[in-house]
Amino acid sequence: MQEKTQGGVNDGKKAIGVPTVTANIGAEWDTPFVPGLTLTSRVIYTGSQYVNATNTLSIPEWTRVDLGARYTFASPWNGKPIVVRASVENVANQAYWASAYSGVITLAAPRTYLVSTTFNF
């Protein structure tokens, strides 16, 4: 809540860009049928947020689902682990306002594909 605002005009109102609720949950599953393969998932929830100090404009709540996989195997050159990761963020390709800051709202990224590899030397 805002306190000691100029002239007390916005005292007691919610701060800009602070969601009512945020919740994140993730899970990983090491598959028994393919050694080294891990499946991942994540759900992110963000409640509504006010865009202005007077609490007259807001952006709605949103939920995003991400899915991925990770495969770890021994390098044929030195025996150290190599990790290959692939993930999809915003699986449903939802369009939503991700956040508000000082009266500026940010549009979330569309469905995004990510791939990376980690080598140990």
Side-chain angles (χ1 to χ4, degrees):
M1 295 292 172
Q2 298 179 65
E3 296 178 359
K4 299 181 182 179
T5 60
Q6 187 172 0
V9 176
N10 295 317
D11 286 358
K13 297 191 175 164
K14 293 187 177 182
I16 297 171
V18 179
T20 51
V21 175
T22 59
N24 300 298
I25 188 165
E28 292 190 352
W29 179 53
D30 295 327
T31 63
F33 49 89
V34 179
L37 179 64
T38 301
L39 302 178
T40 63
S41 64
R42 176 173 60 181
V43 177
I44 301 170
Y45 170 81
T46 300
S48 62
Q49 304 169 49
Y50 285 106
V51 178
N52 59 359
T54 58
N55 291 177
T56 57
L57 297 172
S58 65
I59 57 176
E61 65 186 11
W62 57 269
T63 302
R64 186 181 92 194
V65 176
D66 303 334
L67 297 174
R70 177 178 67 241
Y71 182 62
T72 304
F73 60 97
S75 167
W77 301 283
N78 64 9
K80 294 190 177 180
I82 296 175
V83 181
V84 178
R85 294 177 184 85
S87 64
V88 180
E89 293 181 348
N90 192 4
V91 171
N93 199 28
Q94 294 287 111
Y96 59 92
W97 298 109
S99 64
Y101 178 75
S102 296
V104 176
I105 55 177
T106 305
L107 185 61
R111 182 181 301 127
T112 303
Y113 300 92
L114 303 165
V115 178
S116 68
T117 303
T118 303
F119 297 90
N120 292 296
F121 297 98

